[in-house]
Amino acid sequence: MAFPHLLRQIKGISAVVRRDAPVAGKVAVIVGGGSGHEPMFLGYVGPGLASGGVAGNVFASPPPRPIVLTAKAAHGNSGVLFLYGNYAGDVLNFDAAAEMLEDEDIRVMSVRVTDDVASAPVEEKHRRRGVAGDLFVFKVAGARAEERGTLTEVAAVAQKANDHTRSMGVALTSCTIPASGKAIFDLPEDEIEMGLGLHGEPGQTRTKLLPADQIASQLVSRIVADLSPSHGDEVAVLLNGLGATPVCELFIMFREVKECLDSLGLSICRSYVGNYATSLDMAGCSVSIMKLDSELKRLLLAPANSPAFVQI
């Protein structure tokens, strides 16, 4: 209702498709996950990004049927690519939806986003959860689909974007689930939790509140150690708010992120600062870094127009 020039709602479910869907000859990129992360996921539907988005209840995966209806509404006879965070409920329901669509002779491929370095060690990257780095994967895949890449090509570049992206966050407070009206975990006012998940999953360490520069430095150090970029590499950076952190504080964090990357000889090609993947009313932020090559850079910088992401 708020963005009728960009989106069309699918009647009876919490899902939208781009207004001109289905687009003939174009891979339908479908994104989705639980509510409570706005503007993720529905905010990234539009030209140059996703073809459709489907939302579950707060912090819960959408069921298979809404996923199927969204995919069919966006399907332009060139296949469907599912992009979603690596959570058990999402894996189960999107896989079930893929089977249902394939029973109707609609080809489906899936890429699970696994950018959160805090959720599993590097040798178990397949277990990592997807957090704000979802956005980079959505953007790259959407741009390749807009170029009329094949389903295999769009899935391959989405996987490449995922493999080149790492994220880590910090929480200053819990968030409050609407159904209970209570915080989902306890965090004293003078403590922070490094590596916390978007749904309040435990982080790696708790420590006393630190200055923003020290927090940013620790996040970047952990990400860079895992991503292993080389001196002179170009990167994209997302400084993401979790819902309750003033944007001015995000820019304070970004200042130190940039200084850390400059000191490592890494060049920021494009940066994004704001609330892109939130956790209801949680105070905190996350840093996502994508290491770029010529293909990822081209697709990242391609035009896009959605409610929450506009690039010209």
Side-chain angles (χ1 to χ4, degrees):
M1 292 172 65
F3 302 96
H5 59 296
L6 294 172
L7 306 178
R8 185 176 82 247
Q9 185 176 3
I10 302 175
K11 186 176 180 180
I13 60 174
S14 296
V16 295
V17 293
R18 49 188 281 180
R19 185 166 182 81
D20 58 352
V23 179
K26 177 183 171 299
V27 172
V29 177
I30 305 300
V31 302
S35 296
H37 303 305
E38 289 71 26
M40 193 82 72
F41 295 86
L42 308 190
Y44 302 124
V45 176
L49 275 158
S51 308
V54 54
N57 292 329
V58 172
F59 293 176
S61 171
R65 179 179 174 274
I67 300 171
V68 168
L69 292 176
T70 305
K72 292 174 74 171
H75 182 229
N77 296 315
S78 292
V80 173
L81 175 64
F82 286 156
L83 301 178
Y84 54 91
N86 186 34
Y87 299 93
D90 290 307
V91 171
L92 180 67
N93 289 338
F94 275 92
D95 281 357
E99 292 180 5
M100 295 164 69
L101 289 166
E102 288 168 350
D103 286 343
E104 299 187 40
D105 295 323
I106 297 175
R107 189 178 175 214
V108 180
M109 297 183 74
S110 299
V111 173
R112 302 168 187 170
V113 183
T114 56
D115 58 307
D116 185 8
V117 300
S119 53
V122 65
E123 60 270 18
E124 298 180 23
K125 287 190 295 184
H126 64 281
R127 292 181 46 240
R128 289 178 171 174
R129 55 200 177 213
V131 286
D134 283 7
L135 176 61
F136 287 149
V137 179
F138 298 172
K139 177 65 186 69
V140 165
R144 188 69 184 97
E146 208 70 41
E147 294 178 345
R148 301 304 190 269
T150 66
L151 178 58
T152 299
E153 290 169 341
V154 177
V157 80
Q159 186 62 56
K160 181 180 181 181
N162 180 62
D163 293 343
H164 282 67
T165 300
R166 303 289 191 277
S167 302
M168 187 170 173
V170 57
L172 280 69
T173 69
S174 176
C175 60
T176 305
I177 297 294
S180 68
K182 298 178 181 178
I184 60 175
F185 62 91
D186 294 321
L187 185 61
E189 289 187 5
D190 63 342
E191 292 185 3
I192 59 175
E193 184 147 359
M194 302 289 285
L196 192 89
L198 280 176
H199 310 103
E201 297 96 338
Q204 290 187 326
T205 58
R206 282 196 180 189
T207 184
K208 292 296 183 181
L209 185 64
L210 298 171
D213 284 358
Q214 291 185 35
I215 295 173
S217 178
Q218 289 188 27
L219 294 177
V220 172
S221 295
R222 180 70 177 82
I223 291 168
V224 169
D226 200 282
L227 187 58
S228 300
S230 300
H231 189 279
D233 279 348
E234 283 191 293
V235 297
V237 177
L238 170 63
L239 201 298
N240 171 62
L242 298 181
T245 301
V247 176
C248 64
E249 294 184 10
L250 299 180
F251 282 109
I252 292 170
M253 288 283 293
F254 180 80
R255 176 188 61 197
E256 179 64 17
V257 168
K258 184 180 186 305
E259 289 180 0
C260 289
L261 295 176
D262 286 347
S263 71
L264 295 169
L266 301 175
S267 173
I268 298 178
C269 169
R270 184 64 58 90
S271 56
Y272 306 92
V273 180
N275 294 313
Y276 289 87
T278 62
S279 186
L280 292 171
D281 58 344
M282 183 181 289
C285 67
S286 64
V287 176
S288 300
I289 299 174
M290 180 168 66
K291 184 169 60 176
L292 299 174
D293 61 12
S294 59
E295 180 182 38
L296 292 176
K297 180 178 179 179
R298 171 176 59 81
L299 296 172
L300 176 71
L301 298 181
N305 188 17
S306 72
F309 189 101
V310 178
Q311 188 164 270
I312 58 175

